[in-house]
Every structure is written in C-alpha cells, then in structure tokens.
Amino acid sequence: PYRPRPHPCFLTRLLTRFSLSLSFLSQDIRNTVGNIPMEWYQDYPHIGYNLDGKKIFKPIRNKDELDEFLDKMENPDYWRTVHDKTTASDIRLSDEQVDLVHRLQKGQFGDVNFNEYEPSVDFFTNEVMIHPVTNRPQDKRSFIPSLIEKEKVSKLVHAIKMGWIKPRKPKETTPQYYDLWAKEDPNAILGRHKMHVPAPKMRLPGHEESYNPPPEYLLTEEERMAWEQQDAEDRKLPFLPQKHSCLRAVPAFSRFIHERFERCLDLYLCPRQRKMRVNVNPEDLIPKLPKPKDLQPFPTTMSLVYIGHTSLVRSISASPTGQWLVSGSDDCTVRFWEVNTGRCMKTLEVGGAVKSVAWNPNPAVCLVAVCFERTVLLLNPALGDRLVVSSTDQLITSYEPPEEDKEQAVTWALSEGPEHDNGHRLTLTHPKAVKQVVWHGKGDYLASVMPDNSSNLQVLIHQVSKRRTQNPFRKNKGLVQCVSFHPLRPYFFVATQRYVRVYNLIKQELTKKLMTNCKWISSMAIHPGGDNLICGSYDCRLAWFDLDLSTKPYKMLRHHKKALRGVAYHKHYPLFASGADDGSVIVCHGMVYNDLLQNPLIVPVKVLKGHQITHDLGVLDVTFHPTQPWVFSSGADATIRLFT
C-alpha cells in the first residue's frame, strides 16, 4: 500500500529536536519555557528555566563567524554537531541518531527492524461467507424519500423556470468558414501587429484582359517573341491578350489554380507590417576625427632627393642639430649629406654592405656608428662645430686601459694612419654579422644586434668612454630583430619575431612582455615620452602600444599593402611615420596626453609617395628631422627623399 513519505528537511528538524530532547533528559537541564521564539530572551542573560525553576544562563561568549570557520576546519565532529537554540549549546549526535537522519532523508522507515514488505492480511477475503459480517437490520430512512434531496430538486426546477439555468446546447458539427481579412479592426487578432497594413486588393481587370480586346492591346509577333524571352518577374503582363469571336469560345484559364494558390501564399506568408526606417545620417556613424588641417604641421610635399648611392639605401640617421644626414647603402659606402641643400659632403667606403647607421644623439659628441658584416665602426665625420669635433677626438684618445684586461666578446681597435684621416676612430670586431646599431640617449652607450637563433650572444651593449662590452642576457628567447633604449628611464626594449620584452637594466629583470599579434616584427620605435611604442611588421601591420594600459596593442593600423620596413617617432611634434615595400610613407598624428585617463589620439594625415619599387622593395627606413616637422625616407631605388 502507498504510504506518503515526509519531506527530508522536516525529518532532519524533527530528528534534531528529538535528539536534543534526549540529551536534555540525560543531562537534566531541559529548558521548560516551551515552544516559543527564543528571540524573546536575546536581551536577557539567561535563556530559560530548568526543571527546578532555576535560570539557564547563556554561554559567556557567543561564537562569531571566525570561530565558526575555525571550528569547521579543525573540529572533526563539526558535521555531526547541532546547535540548540533553547539552551544555546552545541550537541553532538551519536552514530545511531546520524543513521536515523540518513534513513529518514532517504525516505526509509525510522525503525531498522520494520519490514515494509510483510504479507498483508485481508479482512474481507475473496471467499464467499455464509453469514454476513454484521447482522444489523436496515434503517427506516433507507426506504423513505429524502427531504433534503427534495428541497434541492425544487430549487433547481425554480431556477430553470426563472431562466437562471439554461440547458446546454448541442455542439454544431458543421465546419465554420470565415474570411480571415474581412474585419480588420484594431481589436482583432491582427490588431496586435503595430502599424498593420491591410492586405492589398486585387487589381480590377482592364481592356487587355477582355475576350475581345481592342486591336492596339494585341501583341505583334516581335512583341510576342520578346515577351516569351523575358523572365516572369520582368513581364508587364502575366498573360498574352487574345481575341475571341464570342464569350462561348473563351477557354478556361489554364493557370487559374496556380494563380489562386500563389495569391493565397502571398496573403498568409507575407507579413504586412510597416517597417520603421531609422533615418541615420551616414556621417554620424563615422567617428569624429579632427581634420588634417587642424593637425598641421606635418610633411606633405617632397622637397629634396639625395642622389648618389648606386644600390639600395638600408639605413639613414640625422644629426642632433638637424644640419646633417648620414646614410648607409649596399654599395659599401657611407655618405654624409647637408640636409638643406642635398649636397653630399663626404663619402666613406667600408668593407661591406652597410646594414645600419646611427648618429650619436648627444649634441656634445660628433660620432656616427656604422655596422657592416662583423664590424661596427665609430666615425667622426668632422662636420659642424670644430670644438665638438675636437672634443670628440679628445674623448676617444683620453682613454686609459685598465691594469687587468678582461676578456670581452668584442675586440676594440683604435684606428690609425689613413683610416684615421678618413674619420675612422674605433673599430669593434664582433664574432658574428651585425644587423643593427642603436645609441643610448646620453650618447655613451651603444647596442648592437647579431641575430642568431643558435646562440645566446645576440645583443651586446658597448660603453665608448671605457671601451667595455657586456652581454646583458645569459639566454635569449627567440631570434632578436631589433633593440632600443628607453629615452628617459633605464629600460631596454628587445624585439624578437613576435614579442617585445622590456627589461629593467638596474634591477636586471624582465618587467613586461608585449604581445604584438604580428607574425614577424621588422622595426620598433619608442615615443619620446617613453610610455608608448610602435612596432612595424612584415605582415603589413603597425601596432601601437600604450605601456601603461596593456601588454596587447592599443591600436592596430593596416594602412600599408606590403611589409613595413621602418617606423619612427618625431622628438617634439605629435607625429609618427611608417615606410613599407609599397613605396609609400604614411605620416600619422599620434597625440599622447598628459592626462592618464585620456587615450592617445591616432589619425592618419598623409600618404607620401615618390620612391620607385625595385626588386619588390620600397621604402627601407624612415627618420624624422630632430627639430622640424620633416621626414626622411630611404628606398631600394638608391635615393633618399626629404618630405617637408
């Protein structure tokens, strides 16, 4: 037989109370206040009265959440401990009581020994008995008509006579047909559609649908041919007008059922609802960017072309005064140019294709670093202020070697004789081919890059005044592409194929790792403020990083169609430029605000063209004039161009 089972939570509460009462009986401290809300005693020191009528006092200190948590962590019997509100004490349940709770929660019987599957004994058996169960005679009221029923029936009869109760009508079995669109009032089902459009009425037939149309409505043979060649959607008439002598001669319309079926499909499948067109001005969707006119000055026109090299010009660098420009080319020459006139002041031949040139950024020192094959040359071009030129020579000659010569990865050699007359001052011979040289902002330190995946010797930092070389990294992670010094703080940026790592040179630790989301980094430039950085890559992307914001790019620019070769920031103006193999230099306005909450404003302002694409190579390097809003670009067409 079906027995309803109590709810498990109810059983738990019941059992808790039962167990508490057992424990109270055993300790004889039963609270005799009865089943009342215990909150009534919260302002009193006691919580009730025991069997002797004495007060049951509360514990001295109530448990707070921290005690509860510590108890939960440290007390192995915490799970079987129940708090009794009536005595404000914790009671530990015995194993029998815990088993009883588990059984009741599972919906089993409380008594272990109870057998719920005992065979039931039927009181009324299926065997027919001779004697009745009871021998009591029937009542008299079972023979007399009921007075209560009589009263009920008379009330119903009266209600039917008065019309309060109406008999049920038999259901009509005939199907009901109705016109779905006959009454299209707003309260109907279709009124739920806002802006509902009623179904279009069919056009009334015209002269062309007549069985005897006027002759001008009949098609000629050419018109008939053209009508048959047209698509069904393009035809003016869905049928051909025909002339019949009388109405009896008109045949049945062959497409009548098709046409009615299509009409019904159109009516019930096409939701007729007015679409609210949002009138958006397309100009409002474009982000509000300032006009390029408001962002002047920036370079717009090609002013000078520096011609002289016979092979592609890989690297250029401007002097800190902005009067001179140095360029290195694959024709194994280094040329010095006067910026304003385009005149080649000096040509120095070196022993290989020049990969990188860098003019010392310190205006008090006149030194140019040139790298080719395994050599880094420090040149004094002897251009400009004679005092600066002579003080530079004094700086190099005043070096005194230390008493103990430490073994270095690079051999330093002082140039003499005809080489010295040509401007050579120091020669640094490296163990491997050098790809890039870059100066520190103070002008005493210089870094060189030797990309080689199999070696840990990829980046070296040289100190010119002490002629000392050190390898800052015990281990290089990946193939180093380019490096750069932070303009203000002691940070060193190392760009591998996919990441830019920022190292703190004082603490000698990695501070940041920037994810460029590019396949292969080609170049890198750091904003003069030091908080922003741009990376160019061979997969046509330029990534702008806000170092305070994130390790992922703040903006990704894909303005170039081919691989980027060089990127540069201007020292004073909010400008940055990128040169690529599509032969163009794109100048962008990149305003960095002092307000940390305001993001940098990046607006492309000008595409500068002029370089010819040679052997699928375009612009190989870009650099800005130190003081003017001018940009220099060197290309594979053996020219250097100045845009002003």
Side-chain angles (χ1 to χ4, degrees), residues 374-376 406-413 427-432 434 448 450 457 459-462 467-471:
R374 296 185 173 195
T375 308
V376 173
K406 288 185 180 177
E407 193 177 332
Q408 299 189 118
V410 167
T411 310
W412 292 71
T427 307
L428 287 76
T429 310
H430 288 64
K432 284 175 289 188
V434 185
S448 58
M450 301 170 288
L457 197 69
V459 180
L460 292 174
I461 296 178
H462 317 282
R467 296 190 195 172
R468 211 167 50 175
T469 298
Q470 55 186 349
N471 176 13

Coordinates of all heavy atoms in Angstrom, one line a residue, residues 374-376 406-413 427-432 434 448 450 457 459-462 467-471:
R374 N 80.8 41.9 -39.8 CA 81.0 41.6 -38.4 C 81.6 42.9 -37.6 O 82.0 42.8 -36.5 CB 82.0 40.5 -38.2 CG 81.5 39.2 -38.7 CD 82.5 38.1 -38.4 NE 82.0 36.8 -38.8 CZ 82.5 35.7 -38.3 NH1 83.5 35.7 -37.5 NH2 82.0 34.5 -38.7
T375 N 81.6 44.0 -38.3 CA 82.3 45.2 -37.8 C 81.3 46.3 -37.4 O 80.3 46.5 -38.2 CB 83.3 45.7 -38.8 OG1 84.1 44.6 -39.2 CG2 84.2 46.8 -38.2
V376 N 81.6 47.0 -36.3 CA 80.9 48.3 -36.0 C 82.0 49.3 -36.0 O 82.9 49.2 -35.2 CB 80.2 48.2 -34.6 CG1 79.6 49.6 -34.3 CG2 79.0 47.2 -34.7
K406 N 90.2 42.4 -19.1 CA 89.2 41.3 -19.0 C 88.9 40.8 -20.5 O 88.9 41.6 -21.4 CB 87.9 41.8 -18.4 CG 88.0 42.0 -16.9 CD 86.7 42.3 -16.3 CE 86.9 42.5 -14.8 NZ 85.6 43.0 -14.1
E407 N 88.6 39.5 -20.6 CA 88.3 39.0 -21.9 C 86.9 39.5 -22.3 O 85.9 39.3 -21.5 CB 88.4 37.5 -21.9 CG 88.3 36.9 -23.3 CD 88.5 35.4 -23.2 OE1 89.1 34.8 -22.3 OE2 88.0 34.7 -24.1
Q408 N 86.8 40.0 -23.5 CA 85.5 40.6 -24.0 C 85.1 39.9 -25.2 O 85.9 39.3 -26.0 CB 85.6 42.1 -24.2 CG 85.9 42.9 -23.0 CD 85.8 44.4 -23.2 OE1 85.0 45.0 -22.6 NE2 86.6 44.9 -24.1
A409 N 83.7 39.9 -25.5 CA 83.2 39.2 -26.7 C 83.6 40.0 -28.0 O 83.5 39.5 -29.1 CB 81.7 39.1 -26.6
V410 N 84.0 41.3 -27.8 CA 84.3 42.1 -29.0 C 85.7 42.7 -28.8 O 86.2 43.0 -27.7 CB 83.3 43.3 -29.0 CG1 83.7 44.4 -29.9 CG2 81.9 42.8 -29.4
T411 N 86.4 42.8 -30.0 CA 87.7 43.4 -30.0 C 87.6 44.8 -30.3 O 87.1 45.2 -31.4 CB 88.6 42.6 -31.1 OG1 88.5 41.2 -30.9 CG2 90.0 43.0 -31.0
W412 N 88.2 45.7 -29.4 CA 88.2 47.2 -29.7 C 89.6 47.5 -30.3 O 90.6 47.1 -29.8 CB 88.0 47.9 -28.4 CG 86.7 47.8 -27.7 CD1 86.2 46.7 -27.2 CD2 85.7 48.8 -27.7 NE1 84.9 47.0 -26.7 CE2 84.6 48.3 -27.0 CE3 85.6 50.2 -28.1 CZ2 83.4 49.0 -26.7 CZ3 84.5 50.9 -27.8 CH2 83.4 50.3 -27.2
A413 N 89.5 48.3 -31.4 CA 90.8 48.7 -32.0 C 90.7 50.2 -32.3 O 89.7 50.7 -32.9 CB 91.0 47.9 -33.3
T427 N 87.2 50.7 -34.0 CA 86.6 49.5 -34.8 C 86.3 48.4 -33.8 O 87.2 48.0 -33.0 CB 87.6 49.0 -35.8 OG1 88.1 50.1 -36.6 CG2 87.0 47.9 -36.7
L428 N 85.1 48.0 -33.8 CA 84.6 46.9 -32.9 C 84.4 45.7 -33.7 O 83.4 45.7 -34.5 CB 83.3 47.3 -32.1 CG 83.5 48.4 -31.0 CD1 83.6 49.8 -31.6 CD2 82.2 48.3 -30.1
T429 N 85.2 44.7 -33.6 CA 85.1 43.4 -34.3 C 84.2 42.4 -33.5 O 84.6 42.0 -32.4 CB 86.4 42.9 -34.7 OG1 87.2 43.9 -35.2 CG2 86.3 41.7 -35.7
H430 N 83.1 42.0 -34.1 CA 82.2 41.1 -33.4 C 82.4 39.7 -33.9 O 82.9 39.5 -35.0 CB 80.7 41.5 -33.7 CG 80.3 42.8 -33.1 ND1 80.9 44.0 -33.3 CD2 79.3 43.1 -32.1 CE1 80.3 45.0 -32.6 NE2 79.4 44.4 -31.8
P431 N 81.9 38.7 -33.1 CA 82.0 37.3 -33.5 C 81.1 36.9 -34.7 O 81.3 35.9 -35.3 CB 81.7 36.5 -32.3 CG 80.9 37.4 -31.4 CD 81.3 38.8 -31.7
K432 N 80.0 37.7 -34.9 CA 79.1 37.3 -35.9 C 78.6 38.6 -36.6 O 78.9 39.7 -36.2 CB 77.8 36.7 -35.3 CG 78.1 35.2 -34.9 CD 76.9 34.6 -34.2 CE 76.8 35.3 -32.8 NZ 75.7 34.6 -32.0
V434 N 76.6 41.7 -37.8 CA 75.8 42.7 -37.0 C 74.7 43.3 -38.0 O 75.0 43.6 -39.1 CB 76.7 43.8 -36.5 CG1 75.9 44.8 -35.6 CG2 77.9 43.3 -35.7
S448 N 74.4 46.7 -30.1 CA 74.4 46.0 -31.4 C 73.7 44.7 -31.4 O 73.7 44.0 -30.4 CB 75.9 45.8 -31.8 OG 76.6 45.0 -30.9
M450 N 73.1 41.0 -33.2 CA 73.6 39.9 -34.1 C 72.6 38.8 -34.1 O 72.7 37.9 -33.3 CB 75.0 39.4 -33.6 CG 76.0 40.5 -33.5 SD 77.5 39.9 -32.7 CE 76.9 39.8 -31.0
L457 N 74.5 34.8 -27.7 CA 75.2 36.1 -27.9 C 74.5 36.8 -29.1 O 75.0 36.7 -30.2 CB 76.7 35.8 -28.2 CG 77.6 37.0 -28.1 CD1 77.8 37.4 -26.6 CD2 79.0 36.6 -28.6
V459 N 72.7 40.1 -28.4 CA 72.7 41.5 -28.1 C 73.9 41.9 -27.3 O 74.2 41.2 -26.3 CB 71.4 41.9 -27.4 CG1 71.4 43.4 -27.1 CG2 70.2 41.5 -28.2
L460 N 74.6 42.9 -27.7 CA 75.8 43.4 -26.9 C 75.6 44.9 -26.6 O 75.1 45.6 -27.5 CB 77.1 43.2 -27.6 CG 77.5 41.7 -27.8 CD1 78.8 41.6 -28.7 CD2 77.8 41.0 -26.5
I461 N 76.0 45.3 -25.4 CA 76.0 46.7 -25.1 C 77.4 47.2 -24.9 O 78.2 46.6 -24.1 CB 75.1 47.0 -23.8 CG1 73.7 46.6 -24.1 CG2 75.2 48.4 -23.4 CD1 72.7 46.8 -23.0
H462 N 77.8 48.3 -25.6 CA 79.2 48.8 -25.5 C 79.2 50.1 -24.8 O 78.3 51.0 -25.1 CB 79.8 48.9 -26.9 CG 79.5 47.8 -27.8 ND1 80.1 46.6 -27.8 CD2 78.5 47.6 -28.8 CE1 79.6 45.8 -28.7 NE2 78.7 46.4 -29.3
R467 N 85.5 51.7 -23.2 CA 85.8 50.7 -24.2 C 85.5 49.3 -23.6 O 86.3 48.4 -23.6 CB 87.2 50.7 -24.7 CG 87.5 52.0 -25.5 CD 88.8 52.0 -26.2 NE 89.2 53.3 -26.6 CZ 90.3 53.7 -27.1 NH1 91.2 52.8 -27.3 NH2 90.6 54.9 -27.5
R468 N 84.3 49.2 -23.1 CA 83.9 48.0 -22.4 C 82.7 47.4 -23.1 O 81.8 48.1 -23.6 CB 83.5 48.3 -20.9 CG 83.8 47.3 -20.0 CD 83.7 47.8 -18.6 NE 82.4 48.5 -18.4 CZ 82.0 49.0 -17.2 NH1 82.7 48.9 -16.1 NH2 80.9 49.7 -17.1
T469 N 82.6 46.1 -23.2 CA 81.4 45.4 -23.8 C 80.9 44.4 -22.9 O 81.6 43.7 -22.2 CB 81.9 44.7 -25.1 OG1 82.4 45.7 -26.0 CG2 80.7 44.0 -25.8
Q470 N 79.6 44.3 -22.8 CA 79.0 43.3 -22.0 C 77.7 42.7 -22.7 O 77.1 43.3 -23.5 CB 78.5 43.8 -20.6 CG 77.6 45.1 -20.7 CD 77.4 45.6 -19.3 OE1 77.7 45.0 -18.3 NE2 76.8 46.8 -19.3
N471 N 77.5 41.4 -22.4 CA 76.3 40.7 -22.9 C 75.3 40.7 -21.8 O 75.4 40.1 -20.8 CB 76.7 39.3 -23.3 CG 75.5 38.5 -23.7 OD1 74.4 39.0 -24.0 ND2 75.7 37.2 -23.8

